[in-house]
Amino acid sequence: MKEAITSVWNKRPLIISGPCSAETEEQVLSTASRLAATGKIDMLRAGIWKPRTKPGMFEGIGTEGLSWLKKAKEETGLPTTVEVATAKHVQDALKYEVDVLWIGARTTVNPFSVQEIADALRGVDIPVLVKNPINPDLELWSGAIERLEKVGLQNIGMIHRGFSSYGNTEYRNAPMWHLPIEMKRRYPDMLLICDPSHICGNRTLLQSVAQISIDLDFGGLMLESHIDPDNAWSDAKQQVTPERLNEIFESLIWRIENTSEQDFITALTRLREQINQVDDELLLLMGQRMKLADKIGEYKRDNNITILQTNRWNEILERAYKKGEQLGLSKEFIVRYFDAVHMESINHQNKIMNE
Ligand code: PEP
Ligand code: MN
């Protein structure tokens, strides 16, 4: 990796910002200089080729924009990053000395495209960030990482940008935090940054999503910014001015993963022991619950009754919502938790039925 980019790549937190799309030379240069003026940005992003859901939307300025990014780098000293989706994009980006490449969510889902990019990068020493696929499939995400590792890339990072789902939700792309957390478990030493812009799809939630990712020990942020957000040619609703971005950064609280302070460590260890104790008890109770499910399974089998009774299931959920609410548990948790418990019960009963 080139020396100039090594220190930026290894910086924590790594902060990337810039417009969703490069639109004009003036827009790229002035976004870059206003971002640089905040002193809080490590790398400049801009989409050059844009994967748009519907035809007829702005599909990116194309290769021409790469020379604007090069100029922005010369003027501000900020290294640059762009999204690549084909071998041609890779070649062009390398030609214009882009420092870091990223693979977009719509590309990570497609192993043909990821392989094409990987093949174009064989023997090239450049850092690559891989966004999660648009659907919540961790194997696709790690599959893309593996394809890049296989061609010899040494510096790979991950970007969490949320997962799309049907219908309106609070977020444009649901964060499903447990999924990036699982990726962090699989790749403990790999850079993982959060992209609150594409998770939120609006400006109001940016700060809180960024703060959650910091609290979960993510290694950095990618946030979109634009000199005139309302009139941006893509993703207008979620972009903020460089100055507003600066305010957001000022309000974030950066926490560290570990400290050697003895009192803190002792208190944390004690609480963790208590949690282990509670987990043991929960597992014990769960074992007992499944033994009861086995008994019910035997009873249903002997009386020729189906395993599933929808009414009973609704009754269990209703009870759990009420009780959970009193205990400060969210409905989402109750649904997730009881789904897993229910599935295990059904598997137990199924086994009994077919014995
Ligand atoms: C982007 O970063 O502008 C982009 C297209 O993101 P994603 O691939 O996450 O949708
Ligand atoms: Mn965008």
Side-chain angles (χ1 to χ4, degrees):
M1 190 165 37
K2 280 188 215 135
E3 216 177 289
I5 191 67
T6 309
S7 58
V8 176
W9 179 254
N10 292 321
K11 178 177 170 285
R12 300 290 177 271
L14 175 65
I15 308 294
I16 304 173
S17 187
C20 176
S21 302
E23 298 164 5
T24 64
E25 180 168 354
E26 156 62 14
Q27 171 245 10
V28 170
L29 295 182
S30 90
T31 311
S33 76
R34 282 164 59 177
L35 282 173
T38 68
K40 296 190 177 72
I41 308 298
D42 304 305
M43 204 181 290
L44 180 67
R45 64 150 278 157
I48 296 292
W49 304 278
K50 302 299 299 178
R52 306 311 298 276
T53 304
K54 293 273 171 69
M57 298 164 95
F58 174 59
E59 296 197 320
I61 205 75
T63 311
E64 186 189 2
L66 290 171
S67 60
W68 307 337
L69 274 180
K70 194 159 177 246
K71 201 162 168 193
K73 172 160 60 171
E74 281 157 13
E75 287 184 5
T76 61
L78 291 174
T80 55
T81 180
V82 301
E83 173 177 352
V84 290
T86 66
K88 173 79 167 66
H89 294 168
V90 172
Q91 283 146 17
D92 286 359
L94 294 177
K95 197 161 114 200
Y96 284 88
E97 294 164 33
V98 171
D99 298 282
V100 172
L101 307 177
W102 92 77
I103 297 182
R106 290 165 193 76
T107 307
T108 309
V109 285
N110 185 342
F112 287 140
S113 303
V114 175
Q115 192 57 49
E116 180 182 324
I117 295 167
D119 289 338
L121 284 169
R122 200 180 291 275
V124 180
D125 184 15
I126 189 167
V128 181
L129 292 160
V130 185
K131 285 200 171 194
N132 64 260
I134 46 178
N135 55 327
D137 182 339
L138 293 191
E139 300 320 312
L140 273 175
W141 201 356
S142 23
I145 292 168
E146 281 165 35
R147 284 175 200 277
L148 297 175
E149 282 174 339
K150 279 209 156 93
V151 298
L153 286 173
Q154 305 273 336
N155 299 292
I156 301 171
M158 302 175 275
I159 304 178
H160 170 46
R161 49 77 79 197
F163 301 88
S164 70
S165 59
Y166 183 70
N168 290 335
T169 61
E170 191 185 5
Y171 299 103
R172 175 176 172 190
N173 292 295
M176 301 187 177
W177 293 106
H178 56 296
L179 299 183
I181 289 170
E182 166 59 15
M183 289 301 272
K184 208 162 143 55
R185 194 193 60 76
R186 290 188 194 182
Y187 300 96
D189 300 323
M190 192 174 281
L191 168 65
L192 167 64
I193 70 177
C194 180
D195 170 351
S197 304
H198 291 90
I199 290 177
C200 298
N202 64 54
R203 292 167 200 151
T204 41
L205 293 169
L206 290 177
Q207 196 272 350
S208 67
V209 167
Q211 186 64 58
I212 293 173
S213 75
I214 293 167
D215 296 345
L216 290 172
D217 196 33
F218 277 52
L221 293 165
M222 180 192 257
L223 279 151
E224 289 183 338
S225 61
H226 194 284
I227 46 169
D228 182 9
D230 286 337
N231 292 306
W233 298 0
S234 61
D235 287 351
K237 288 200 191 112
Q238 69 197 31
Q239 301 203 63
V240 291
T241 61
E243 294 70 29
R244 173 66 196 131
L245 195 73
N246 193 33
E247 280 171 21
I248 292 176
F249 283 129
E250 303 255 297
S251 72
L252 293 173
I253 302 165
W254 297 93
R255 306 184 211 278
I256 46 173
E257 188 187 357
N258 284 307
T259 154
S260 55
E261 225 211 288
Q262 200 48 49
D263 285 354
F264 170 78
I265 292 173
T266 313
L268 190 66
T269 310
R270 261 195 217 129
L271 285 169
R272 283 184 170 159
E273 265 164 24
Q274 286 177 38
I275 282 200
N276 285 347
Q277 198 67 38
V278 173
D279 281 347
D280 287 352
E281 282 169 30
L282 282 174
L283 287 169
L284 208 75
L285 285 172
M286 209 47 77
Q288 288 174 8
R289 193 192 194 282
M290 292 312 152
K291 286 220 173 69
L292 287 170
D294 286 346
K295 281 219 176 90
I296 291 182
E298 282 168 24
Y299 189 71
K300 285 178 181 167
R301 178 194 59 202
D302 296 345
N303 290 281
N304 248 345
I305 292 174
T306 57
I307 291 177
L308 196 64
Q309 274 91 36
T310 318
N311 282 347
R312 168 65 182 145
W313 179 233
N314 287 336
E315 193 191 316
I316 288 181
L317 274 181
E318 282 309 321
R319 276 190 78 229
Y321 288 154
K322 276 206 196 96
K323 234 191 162 73
E325 203 177 358
Q326 290 160 9
L327 294 167
L329 301 171
S330 71
K331 221 167 177 173
E332 193 203 352
F333 169 75
I334 303 276
V335 170
R336 232 187 247 287
Y337 169 79
F338 273 93
D339 239 11
V341 170
H342 192 214
M343 211 49 241
E344 183 73 6
S345 271
I346 286 178
N347 288 342
H348 268 251
Q349 293 187 29
N350 222 338
K351 206 161 145 225
I352 301 269
M353 289 270 181
N354 294 302
E355 253 171 16

